Amino acid sequence: MVSRLALAQAFIRNNFNQVKILFEKVRVRLLAEWLAVAALYILGGQFAPHIFLPQGNGTPLWPPSAIALSAGLALGYRSAVGVWLGAFLLSQDILSGPAALSTAAILASATTLQMLLATFLLREFVPGLSNRIEAVDKVAVPSTGRDILGFIALTGLASLVAPSITVTTLRYAGFISARDMTSVWTTWWVSDYAGVLTLTPLFMVIILSWRRGNVVEPIVFPLTTVWLGLSLVASYIVCQNKTLVLNERLRQDTQESERQFTRNS
């Protein structure tokens, strides 16, 4: 009886130790993934400035949005912690003032929510995309036209989340005026969406190449979305330049009218 009890205790102790070791390995792996995603997010933000508050100017292509979605597709929803941490640190570096900390937390939450929504939509309605990334030892099925159109449409829809929450938060926190809301929202959406279209497919090819040792994914998918993303960027830049020219012309005409009014007076 005693020996059976001792064996049972030894069995339980051994299994407990194994579970404890496994839990520690998983915890270390999760921490490493979160830190890696946060570091890549912050690094991506250093290459191109986002929104310069309160002017509303910024880059028409935002790499961190592509990094966040790539992490969601490659690692799953657990990468949200790393995305939030990276977005929070990056936003805190841009903002200043008494409301900077709380605003940065809301901006990071908006970015994370956008990534989670995009990941969910792509996994739900474009399952072949996630299957190709998650299948390590299987032969990947080439992207179809439906996959490409689904990626373009769903990421565009998901990219509405962060600008809408962010601009509203910045307005009520006093970082931008009501007059700047439209321009800031447009810049934010274009930069997020263009970043996803242009860089996410390329990151996916890199992930596939690293996991399998060769790239099975045809180059048609990245080329299609990269072309669309760059076209969006180019159109935005042309539109912004036309707006600046019209504003400058309007300013000059206003000054000329004031000078003529002064002379006549």
Side-chain angles (χ1 to χ4, degrees):
M1 182 68 181
V2 177
S3 59
R4 287 184 180 180
L5 182 60
L7 288 174
Q9 291 177 346
F11 177 78
I12 294 174
R13 191 181 302 111
N14 185 42
N15 286 341
F16 177 78
N17 291 334
Q18 290 180 356
V19 172
K20 183 179 179 181
I21 293 172
L22 179 62
F23 177 76
E24 290 177 351
K25 287 182 178 179
V26 172
R27 185 171 57 182
V28 171
R29 179 181 176 183
L30 281 176
L31 182 61
E33 288 179 351
W34 294 339
L35 292 177
V37 171
L40 289 174
Y41 191 98
I42 295 173
L43 183 63
Q46 303 304 316
F47 286 103
H50 204 347
I51 307 297
F52 290 103
L53 303 173
Q55 292 85 354
N57 300 319
T59 176
L61 194 149
W62 184 233
S65 61
I67 294 173
L69 181 55
S70 299
L73 293 174
L75 301 177
Y77 300 117
R78 65 180 184 271
S79 62
V81 177
V83 172
W84 190 93
L85 179 61
F88 173 75
L89 295 176
L90 200 57
S91 300
Q92 192 181 21
D93 185 57
I94 297 174
L95 302 172
S96 60
L101 192 63
S102 57
T103 304
I106 297 176
L107 265 60
S109 301
T111 299
T112 306
L113 180 61
Q114 177 173 289
M115 181 277 291
L116 290 173
L117 177 61
T119 302
F120 169 77
L121 291 175
L122 292 176
R123 289 191 168 196
E124 185 71 19
F125 298 103
V126 194
L129 187 63
S130 298
N131 292 338
R132 275 188 295 278
I133 296 177
E134 295 170 353
V136 178
D137 299 325
K138 299 179 182 179
V139 177
V141 180
S143 293
T144 63
R146 180 180 177 277
D147 292 337
I148 297 174
L149 292 177
F151 178 85
I152 293 171
L154 294 175
T155 53
L157 178 64
S159 297
L160 298 172
V161 174
S164 301
I165 298 176
T166 296
V167 170
T168 304
T169 302
L170 293 175
R171 169 68 184 92
Y172 286 102
F175 288 99
I176 61 174
S177 63
R179 182 183 58 184
D180 295 326
M181 289 181 67
T182 302
S183 61
V184 173
W185 189 96
T186 303
T187 303
W188 209 293
W189 179 78
V190 169
S191 59
D192 274 4
Y193 189 33
V196 167
L197 288 178
T198 308
L199 299 177
T200 301
L202 299 180
F203 292 157
M204 288 168 52
V205 171
I206 294 174
I207 293 172
L208 290 171
S209 178
W210 174 64
R211 286 187 173 182
R212 296 197 182 96
N214 62 336
V215 180
V216 185
E217 179 72 14
I219 201 66
V220 175
F221 180 34
L223 283 180
T224 302
T225 56
V226 166
W227 172 82
L228 185 61
L230 293 178
S231 299
L232 181 64
V233 170
S235 301
Y236 176 77
I237 293 175
V238 170
C239 181
Q240 285 290 92
N241 289 338
K242 287 183 178 180
T243 303
L244 291 174
V245 170
L246 290 175
N247 289 339
E248 180 63 21
R249 187 176 300 172
L250 178 63
R251 186 182 65 82
Q252 292 176 357
D253 292 342
T254 302
Q255 290 178 348
E256 182 64 24
S257 299
E258 291 177 351
R259 283 194 292 267
Q260 291 181 358
F261 179 77
T262 303
R263 293 195 198 101
N264 294 334
S265 298

